[in-house]
Amino acid sequence: MGSVEECMDAAVRVARAAGQVVLEAVKQEKHVSTKSTPTDLVTEADRLVEELIISTLRESFPSHRFIGEESCAAGEPCVLTDSPTWIIDPIDGTCNFVHSFPMVAVSIGFAVKKELEFGVIYHCFEETLYTARKGHGAFCNGLRLQVSKEKDVSKALILTEIGAKRDPETLALFLGNMEKLLRAPAHGVRIIGSSTLALCQVAAGAADAYYQFGLHCWDMAAAAIIIREAGGVVMDTSGGPLDLMSRRIVAAASQEVAGFIVQQLKPIGYERDDCGERHAVR
Ligand SMILES: O=P(O)(O)O[C@H]1[C@H](O)[C@@H](O)[C@H](O)[C@H](O)[C@@H]1O
Ligand SMILES: [Mg+2]
Ligand SMILES: [Mg+2]
């Protein structure tokens, strides 16, 4: 199976290699298509980078299971079992990638018995590597990460993402949720176009909370353990335990800020990644 340490070392190597491919690809002409909605973009680079990552890891760990964003888009099952499972977003921030907006990451999470063991997120433009292993802390380029510990939402910088849906009802709920937090009043709300990099800012103490409806398991897996190991909290938007397949998350530097956000949010419905079974992440 390979030890967790061997798996994490392999994840770091392949994330860096994939990040260099992304950085080269961003300079080339992009062939853009759409998935679930006209704003849910995908490029040939997304597919190629995912193929690079999965083929490299499968060579070393043939018995493992893989959940990849673009493999799932192509019809592969998105089900988390007890098997050692890699949860991969080859290019997080594809819309940013298409526009050469410099917030693009490679995200690789790893779970055994449905428990997140480590996460690796590589910021392709900054060549910055965020890592965390369960019980061993969170790091950015080897420097330990610590959340801000901010407990007061009126002193908090909050990040979110829009998600793929743009119908009037979703937009009204999205803007209503944001308005509630701006009226708190939070210091600010920011949208940077990459869930994983936004969550890394919370882990780094550069933001104090993140919430979203509509992200996927591959947007959350690596980032959730990085935030936990940086001393932060991650949970469902209902306040319950994080459910990796639920398409929703609240992450924060403190229980107090997370709890305030949970109280304010009106839910926005998205179909589960696993379309049915519940998987609480421990
Ligand atoms: O598709 P990629 O991998 O670029 O991930 C993004 C999602 O597409 C957005 O809906 C979502 O809102 C976030 O921006 C997320 O990073
Ligand atoms: Mg993504
Ligand atoms: Mg992606």
Side-chain angles (χ1 to χ4, degrees):
M1 167 188 137
S3 71
V4 172
E5 205 161 357
E6 284 166 349
C7 292
M8 189 166 178
D9 289 346
V12 167
R13 285 194 300 274
V14 78
R16 287 186 187 282
Q20 292 311 308
V21 172
V22 172
L23 211 48
E24 265 317 300
V26 79
K27 302 167 195 164
Q28 313 303 322
E29 186 191 353
K30 290 142 191 142
H31 303 284
V32 186
S33 48
T34 60
K35 294 187 288 188
S36 61
T37 70
T39 55
D40 186 8
L41 309 183
V42 62
T43 69
E44 204 38 47
D46 292 81
R47 298 186 185 99
L48 287 172
V49 170
E50 183 167 306
E51 176 51 33
L52 163 70
I53 295 169
I54 292 180
S55 59
T56 303
L57 294 171
R58 189 170 266 141
E59 197 173 333
S60 301
F61 311 106
S63 66
H64 290 186
R65 293 176 68 106
F66 295 85
I67 295 175
E69 176 176 3
E70 308 317 335
S71 308
C72 291
E76 295 255 333
C78 181
V79 179
L80 188 58
T81 67
D82 284 348
S83 302
T85 304
W86 300 80
I87 306 169
I88 298 162
D89 191 338
I91 298 181
D92 183 55
T94 296
C95 181
N96 291 345
F97 171 78
V98 167
H99 292 272
S100 304
F101 184 77
M103 285 283 175
V104 178
V106 174
S107 183
I108 300 174
F110 185 69
V112 179
K113 295 190 174 61
K114 301 190 185 79
E115 184 146 357
L116 293 169
E117 290 294 334
F118 66 74
V120 171
I121 297 175
Y122 186 72
H123 190 318
C124 304
F125 280 82
E126 289 186 0
E127 300 185 302
T128 307
L129 187 77
Y130 295 88
T131 58
R133 182 179 164 195
K134 188 174 69 178
H136 291 73
F139 299 85
C140 177
N141 285 356
L143 297 176
R144 190 172 277 269
L145 292 176
Q146 172 68 48
V147 295
S148 68
K149 294 291 182 202
E150 184 54 63
K151 292 185 170 55
D152 181 348
V153 74
S154 70
K155 298 189 178 69
L157 182 62
I158 301 175
L159 308 185
T160 187
E161 289 290 324
I162 302 166
K165 297 199 291 188
R166 294 287 191 283
D167 58 281
E169 189 200 357
T170 296
L171 289 178
L173 286 167
F174 172 79
L175 294 171
N177 285 335
M178 188 185 281
E179 183 180 359
K180 291 257 195 68
L181 297 172
L182 290 171
R183 285 176 178 274
H187 273 179
V189 178
R190 303 277 187 277
I191 299 172
I192 64 171
S194 164
S195 305
T196 62
L197 290 181
L199 286 160
C200 284
Q201 299 315 310
V202 176
D208 306 297
Y210 180 91
Y211 69 95
Q212 189 183 347
F213 296 92
L215 74 175
H216 293 275
C217 59
W218 43 79
D219 293 314
M220 300 189 225
I225 188 159
I226 290 172
I227 288 180
R228 278 195 188 123
E229 289 296 320
V233 295
V234 291
M235 59 183 72
D236 183 69
T237 50
S238 65
L242 182 67
D243 174 351
L244 210 52
M245 297 291 167
S246 66
R247 305 288 303 276
R248 52 199 219 179
I249 190 171
V250 171
S254 67
Q255 284 289 354
E256 290 82 356
V257 169
F260 180 89
I261 293 172
V262 163
Q263 291 303 317
Q264 307 308 313
L265 294 180
K266 272 196 179 162
I268 302 172
Y270 280 86
E271 188 177 72
R272 291 177 59 85
D273 278 331
D274 57 359
C275 300
E277 297 164 68
R278 280 193 76 75
H279 291 273
V281 165
R282 290 177 292 284

